[in-house]
Amino acid sequence: MEIHITKCDNALTLVAWPQSDDVQYEICTILSGNGKSVDVTIPITAGEYQSGISLNGVGAPLSGSYPVSLPAGGYTLAVTGVNWGGPWNFSFTLNGQKYESSNASGDGVVWLGGNGLKPPASAITFQVPQDHATAPPNITTPLVTSAGPPAHAVLGYLSGLIGTWNSPRGESATGFNVMPLPQRDAPGGYVLKNFPYYEEITFATIAGSAPNRGGNLTQNCNTLFYEQRVYFATNPTGDSKSNPVIDKLVHAENGAWLHLVYQAQQAGPYGPGTVPEPTPLPTQPQATEYVKQVSVPHGNSILAVGNATVSKGNPTFPVANRSVPPFTDPNVIDPNTYLQKQLDALKSKGVSVVECVAIHLTTDRGVSGNVADIRFEQRHATVDRYDTTWYIEKLSNGTTQLQYSQTMSMKLLIGANLVDFIHVDANTLVPA
């Protein structure tokens, strides 16, 4: 849609009022007079409003096209004309309908919403349609659902992750992070960003599978997609008033978890039969049965591979390596201790872990994992290795909780050398 202004003597202001909100958007303010011509087009498209246009044509003719973006929806147009003396003359077209007002003499404000408007109109309304070419995609509902999500059986122990999980905020936060950051003017060439955090993670099945064809057999990747957002739980000690961070996003990532299974290969591109297979059909090696694919918006991608174990009672958590900085400083908290604190807190309430599934994953190339970093990260803060364990725990009160520990082995540029560090975080989550 567009507004085409052809007469403005002397000042014309157009304001759009959303029909569903108590805000206003100025479309334009145009000044003209002294017999100067006006030929201004304002295309209006759906989008984020930035500002209206302001044009001064008192001393020169006005012409051209000046686009304005408004949020999609319905609007009422408020039109104000101001005359500086003598005759006035205003005219514009909106969606093919011409509106104008004129008089031989007078000064002051002329309201073009019924006062002197031709044709008469108590209100001028218009719609800004959503531009579907730029509309955000709907990623919450699969485009095709007839295939249905995979049965929990093919997901193995990943089925215990399905759903949304979160952790407490504020002083009750159960997550803790130790993160070294290079900083040339700091003692030792680095600073620490250590903080409690809370988060939300969603795991969702997909309507299908992802087969890797081998020629006479298939490795099927039974998949969960996940999305994770992490927030500061509190403000840091010190001057938090000048730079509060509480509840701000500190980390985001997404990716996929895979349960790998060997099966017969489909004949041809679509089946329905299968090709002759090895006898006996091999099984996926247990040591590489599970995969976590991580995409981090720092220019990092992680491919971690591993296995799952099942135990009764409390799991045994890893311990940060105190021979590698920053954990060479005994005052630096090992985030893994937060995991045991949560189990101790449950024990004080008479709740215990009945059974625990632990999924252990690593980027150790010996089990086909890997880490990829963009060039800047390779030079300044490269990740050499990623190790993580996720604990799906059935509790004695009939509920389930999720705990995890992650360790990233890094090299930070300190002076002219890349120095080994480790970055550790751990948390406890419950179903949302």
Side-chain angles (χ1 to χ4, degrees):
M1 64 157 293
E2 67 179 27
I3 298 172
H4 185 203
I5 302 169
T6 54
K7 295 177 182 178
C8 177
D9 188 358
N10 293 106
L12 178 66
T13 299
L14 303 181
V15 176
W17 294 82
Q19 296 168 359
S20 60
D21 204 352
D22 188 21
V23 296
Q24 64 181 27
Y25 303 105
E26 181 177 316
I27 297 175
C28 69
T29 293
I30 295 177
L31 307 181
S32 184
N34 301 321
K36 303 301 181 183
S37 65
V38 177
D39 186 11
V40 173
T41 300
I42 306 175
I44 297 179
T45 58
E48 182 180 358
Y49 177 78
Q50 300 294 332
S51 65
I53 63 171
S54 180
L55 302 174
N56 189 338
V58 174
L62 289 176
S63 63
S65 180
Y66 304 87
V68 172
S69 294
L70 297 176
Y75 291 87
T76 297
L77 187 67
V79 186
T80 305
V82 177
N83 186 36
W84 301 333
W88 77 71
N89 201 347
F90 300 97
S91 181
F92 68 91
T93 301
L94 171 63
N95 286 340
Q97 175 65 59
K98 189 174 185 179
Y99 299 93
E100 55 188 354
S101 182
S102 61
N103 205 310
S105 64
D107 56 36
V109 176
V110 179
W111 292 94
L112 303 180
N115 181 9
L117 187 66
K118 301 176 183 178
S122 59
I124 304 173
T125 61
F126 64 94
Q127 287 281 333
V128 177
Q130 176 69 63
D131 181 357
H132 293 287
T134 60
N138 179 359
I139 61 172
T140 61
T141 303
L143 297 178
V144 179
T145 59
S146 58
H152 282 208
V154 300
L155 290 167
Y157 292 118
L158 297 184
S159 63
L161 295 175
I162 296 172
T164 297
W165 304 76
N166 55 35
S167 61
R169 304 168 61 180
E171 298 298 332
S172 301
T174 55
F176 197 79
N177 177 87
V178 171
M179 181 189 302
L181 302 172
Q183 182 172 315
R184 289 190 178 182
D185 63 352
Y190 72 95
V191 295
L192 289 179
K193 193 174 183 179
N194 301 347
F195 55 88
Y197 66 87
Y198 68 96
E199 66 184 304
E200 52 189 354
I201 312 177
T202 297
F203 301 87
T205 60
I206 64 172
S209 59
N212 297 329
R213 298 197 181 199
N216 62 348
L217 79 166
T218 291
Q219 181 190 60
N220 203 44
C221 304
N222 302 291
T223 305
L224 288 182
F225 283 158
Y226 82 94
E227 184 167 359
Q228 180 179 18
R229 291 187 176 93
V230 179
Y231 307 87
F232 289 107
T234 62
N235 282 317
T237 56
D239 186 13
S240 61
K241 291 183 179 180
S242 63
N243 186 30
V245 299
I246 186 171
D247 294 329
K248 288 186 177 180
L249 182 75
V250 63
H251 175 80
E253 68 179 62
N254 59 20
W257 287 71
L258 313 178
H259 177 227
L260 306 180
V261 178
Y262 282 179
Q263 61 188 46
Q265 179 169 313
Q266 196 174 59
Y270 312 109
T274 59
V275 301
E277 60 194 52
T279 303
L281 183 68
T283 58
Q284 173 70 34
Q286 190 176 23
T288 56
E289 190 177 357
Y290 292 91
V291 177
K292 185 184 182 188
Q293 299 175 196
V294 183
S295 178
V296 183
H298 286 288
N300 309 108
S301 292
I302 293 170
L303 182 67
V305 182
N307 67 335
T309 59
V310 182
S311 62
K312 302 295 182 182
N314 287 358
T316 299
F317 299 120
V319 176
N321 187 346
R322 289 288 180 182
S323 66
V324 181
F327 292 96
T328 49
D329 180 349
N331 295 315
V332 173
I333 297 172
D334 179 356
N336 294 301
T337 60
Y338 271 56
L339 302 177
Q340 187 59 50
K341 285 180 181 178
Q342 294 310 306
L343 296 188
D344 292 343
L346 287 176
K347 183 178 180 181
S348 68
K349 300 175 183 177
V351 180
S352 60
V353 177
V354 176
E355 182 179 86
C356 175
V357 173
I359 304 177
H360 315 274
L361 304 157
T362 180
T363 59
D364 183 353
R365 295 186 181 184
V367 291
S368 75
N370 211 340
V371 179
D373 295 319
I374 59 175
R375 184 63 58 85
F376 185 92
E377 289 289 78
Q378 291 173 8
R379 292 173 175 171
H380 297 89
T382 188
V383 177
D384 281 343
R385 177 168 169 155
Y386 168 87
D387 294 275
T388 186
T389 302
W390 292 65
Y391 308 90
I392 308 169
E393 299 161 352
K394 293 182 181 178
L395 305 181
S396 60
N397 62 0
T399 64
T400 303
Q401 75 174 11
L402 178 64
Q403 297 190 290
Y404 70 81
S405 169
Q406 297 185 141
T407 299
M408 277 149 279
S409 301
M410 311 173 65
K411 282 185 169 60
L412 302 186
L413 184 62
I414 307 297
N417 301 311
L418 287 171
V419 179
D420 289 329
F421 285 82
I422 53 176
H423 163 30
V424 181
D425 54 80
N427 199 7
T428 301
L429 303 96
V430 296

